[in-house]
Amino acid sequence: MLALGLWGLDRGGMWGDEGVTFLVGRRTVPQIWHLLHGVDAVHGLYYLLMHAVLAVHPGEVTLRLPSVCGAAATAALVAALGVRLARPRVGLWAGLLYAITPLTGHYAQEGRSYAIVAAGVAGATLLLVRALEGRPWWPYGAVLAVTFLLHEFAVLVLCAHALTLLAARVPRPVWAGWGRAAGVAVGILLPLAWVSQRQSAQVAWLRVPDRDTAERLARGFLAVTPTGVVFWTSVLLILLGLGAGRLASVALPLLVVPPVILLTVSQFRPLFHERYVLYALTGAPLLVAAGADWLVGMVGRLWLDGHRRPSGRHTDIARVVAGAEHRPRLVGALAASGHHPVAATRPPLTGTDRTTGAASPPSRPPKRPARTHLVTLAGVLALAVPFLHGLPAYRNDRLAAHRPENLAQVSALAGRELRPGDPVLFLPSFWRVTELAYPGPFAGVRDLALAESGARTGTLSGREVAPAELEARLAGVDRVWIVAQSNLLPSRWVPGDPVDRVKLGVVDGEFARRRQYVSGRVKLALYIRRTPPQDMVTPAPALPSPAPR
């Protein structure tokens, strides 16, 4: 996962959301705190983390490194869950499958918090399993609290964990321990949830998800490739993995519950985006790997049934191996009676000599058959096939053109076309992030609408002048450069901000586009006034008076 995350990490440009992370992360801590009172409170902890990271070296690669590390940690935690809930080869296959899933690689290279949130949820899930085996609950609650502060929609994982407890039929004391840990984490989240509720206009662009949205999410979650034999094989293995006992009781709720809840709520209030529930993806590779393990075991049993029955010695070895691979249940009857479930099921490390009564050295575990290692290797090679098949898609995802826009490209065009003193407008004002992320090419230009910078006013893109003043400024120019949403001008969109309404109305009504350059959602365009402004028209010389006759 680390290798795939570092591959092509410097793709030559940030897109809009990454630009916001970059410009906010480079502000001082008091400036970031000022900003969070009005916008982006949900990303506050992440911005503070990025402030520390970018202080080391402000660059695009540094911006994305925390996400790469978060994805690598998630892959390791998925593997650890597979080992703990099933067996080592299930963990190995699940971790590798998570690493080569395209959706994982995409967000591993985003300068946003979602890959780190996935690591937090995977870590909390592993700590949940450990707590159900008798470990303390406070590490689980602490990791949950930090994860919720990184993104508040991670709180939906509590519903998945509650379903896991129901499936395990845990006793009342276990519910009490879980409830205290989860309650503390939710209590820490509540002030952030209250502040972010007042900033809900930031997600007004989201739309009600439909069947296509759910289908795209399922295809992105369930397979290395969204169509074809690999996809349907993954679906089949997931169905087989549902019989994996306690692994399924952990992985299935994690995979299904958070997306279903957010999709359902979004039918009434649109809040859904796949990145908000990226952490749920960690359940899919566990089920696929468990299904593959079940299938291998079934084939192995059929193969053995077709040969002669093994000798008594071989039968004893097989029983010992099966016992050694046995893992303790999450919570069983021993937990209900107060005994430590792990200690109760762990075999003694030493024995006693029956003749002398002295302690005998521990017996050596039987060697695993070579066939087990061959099966594990075969599973790894099987994962390499779809990865190599999808290699062109992985390569394309690492191009800047695969993101919504490339701010570096727009800024480079601005540096080539603009001259010092040229008037510039940003429409809507959010696209001032282009200049803030790459200020060099915009040096010396005249921002007609800007009154105060974002760092001083606690905003992302700064405070703009009053509509009347902007109209006066526009009246004195005959050409203006626009950095705007690519589908604007002309457009039927009516901005909510009165200053943006003036920009759109004056430019669309009094100017004509001379040329433009488009990069995804953003464009750089030159507009020329259709008729020169009145204060720039040179009056015609007066005609001489006729001579008296």
Side-chain angles (χ1 to χ4, degrees):
M1 183 69 255
L2 185 63
L4 290 175
L6 294 174
W7 171 33
L9 191 61
D10 188 6
R11 56 178 174 265
M14 296 180 281
W15 68 286
D17 284 5
E18 287 186 318
V20 171
T21 300
F22 187 74
L23 70 93
V24 174
R26 297 186 67 191
R27 294 182 183 179
T28 65
V29 172
Q31 289 172 342
I32 295 175
W33 181 251
H34 188 195
L35 170 75
L36 300 180
H37 287 75
V39 67
D40 264 0
V42 68
H43 298 298
L45 181 59
Y46 176 68
Y47 287 154
L48 292 173
L49 168 65
M50 294 309 301
H51 171 77
V53 171
L54 293 174
V56 177
H57 177 72
E60 294 178 25
V61 173
T62 310
L63 177 75
R64 300 177 184 126
L65 274 178
S67 294
V68 174
C69 295
T74 308
L77 290 164
V78 168
L81 280 166
V83 170
R84 197 171 195 91
L85 295 172
R87 63 173 69 189
R89 72 183 180 201
V90 172
L92 175 63
W93 294 345
L96 289 174
L97 183 57
Y98 182 84
I100 67 173
T101 301
L103 205 61
T104 300
H106 180 86
Y107 287 103
Q109 296 197 329
E110 291 269 294
R112 299 298 277 175
S113 65
Y114 308 109
I116 305 175
V117 171
V121 170
T125 304
L126 180 60
L127 290 170
L128 172 72
V129 174
R130 289 168 58 88
L132 292 177
E133 294 174 353
R135 301 296 180 88
W137 282 101
W138 70 262
Y140 169 76
V143 172
L144 278 182
V146 174
T147 305
F148 293 169
L149 292 178
L150 283 170
H151 200 279
E152 61 187 8
F153 283 175
V155 72
L156 298 178
V157 76
L158 290 178
C159 300
H161 288 173
L163 198 57
T164 296
L165 298 186
L166 285 173
R169 298 178 181 179
V170 300
R172 185 174 299 177
V174 175
W175 278 106
W178 177 80
R180 286 191 295 269
V184 170
V186 171
I188 293 174
L189 174 66
L190 284 177
L192 173 63
W194 181 76
V195 174
S196 62
Q197 171 66 24
R198 298 163 55 193
Q199 302 173 3
S200 59
Q202 288 184 259
V203 292
W205 57 275
L206 292 172
R207 297 293 177 262
V208 176
D210 53 16
R211 180 177 298 178
D212 292 338
T213 306
E215 183 178 351
R216 285 194 303 271
L217 179 70
R219 292 186 180 275
F221 271 24
L222 299 186
V224 176
T225 56
T227 58
V229 176
V230 175
F231 172 76
W232 291 111
T233 301
S234 298
V235 173
L236 174 62
L237 292 176
I238 285 177
L239 294 177
L240 296 177
L242 296 180
R246 66 199 190 106
L247 183 145
S249 71
V250 172
L252 183 62
L254 185 59
L255 173 64
V256 173
V257 173
V260 168
I261 291 178
L262 197 57
L263 283 168
T264 303
V265 171
S266 296
Q267 300 302 315
F268 307 96
R269 181 179 179 183
L271 294 172
F272 180 83
H273 195 283
E274 66 178 22
R275 60 193 180 192
Y276 298 157
V277 290
L278 176 69
Y279 58 84
L281 173 60
T282 55
L286 288 167
L287 290 172
V288 172
D293 183 62
W294 182 91
L295 187 62
V296 166
M298 178 61 66
V299 172
R301 285 189 291 273
L302 293 176
W303 181 81
L304 288 175
D305 290 343
H307 293 71
R308 65 182 179 87
R309 183 178 299 275
S311 65
R313 177 176 176 271
H314 290 169
T315 303
D316 291 341
I317 291 177
R319 289 175 179 172
V320 173
V321 171
E325 290 183 348
H326 174 70
R327 288 282 183 180
R329 294 179 57 84
L330 291 178
V331 172
L334 291 174
S337 61
H339 295 285
H340 194 297
V342 176
T345 58
R346 183 177 297 149
L349 297 179
T350 60
T352 304
D353 192 304
R354 294 183 179 180
T355 58
T356 63
S360 61
S363 60
R364 294 182 180 179
K367 294 183 179 180
R368 291 190 177 191
R371 183 172 57 86
T372 301
H373 301 295
L374 291 177
V375 168
T376 302
L377 179 60
V380 173
L381 294 177
L383 289 174
V385 173
F387 172 71
L388 294 175
H389 175 72
L391 203 55
Y394 288 98
R395 188 181 298 112
N396 291 336
D397 190 63
R398 280 147 179 80
L399 300 176
H402 199 73
R403 292 310 192 269
E405 61 272 340
N406 186 350
L407 301 184
Q409 183 182 36
V410 177
S411 297
L413 290 170
R416 189 182 69 191
E417 298 290 341
L418 274 64
R419 298 293 178 265
D422 279 354
V424 178
L425 284 178
F426 296 92
L427 179 64
S429 60
F430 169 81
W431 290 115
R432 192 171 282 110
V433 66
T434 309
E435 177 188 13
L436 297 173
Y438 298 97
F442 290 91
V445 301
R446 185 158 51 108
D447 190 337
L448 293 178
L450 184 63
E452 286 187 276
S453 69
R456 290 176 58 88
T457 59
T459 59
L460 286 176
S461 54
R463 184 177 64 83
E464 298 190 324
V465 299
E469 183 175 351
L470 179 59
E471 287 182 353
R473 293 184 181 185
L474 283 170
V477 299
D478 63 346
R479 62 197 301 271
V480 61
W481 287 93
I482 307 289
V483 179
Q485 192 98 0
S486 57
N487 58 355
L488 298 182
L489 294 168
S491 172
R492 296 182 179 179
W493 174 64
V494 179
D497 183 16
V499 179
D500 284 338
R501 286 200 297 269
V502 170
K503 298 175 193 175
L504 185 61
V506 172
V507 173
D508 197 22
E510 301 179 15
F511 289 76
R513 188 178 68 220
R514 177 64 57 88
R515 57 181 182 271
Q516 73 172 0
Y517 312 91
V518 179
S519 176
R521 296 185 305 171
V522 62
K523 68 180 178 182
L524 173 70
L526 174 64
Y527 279 77
I528 306 295
R529 189 180 290 274
R530 294 189 178 94
T531 58
Q534 294 299 319
D535 58 351
M536 297 186 68
V537 175
T538 304
L543 295 175
S545 301
R549 294 182 179 179

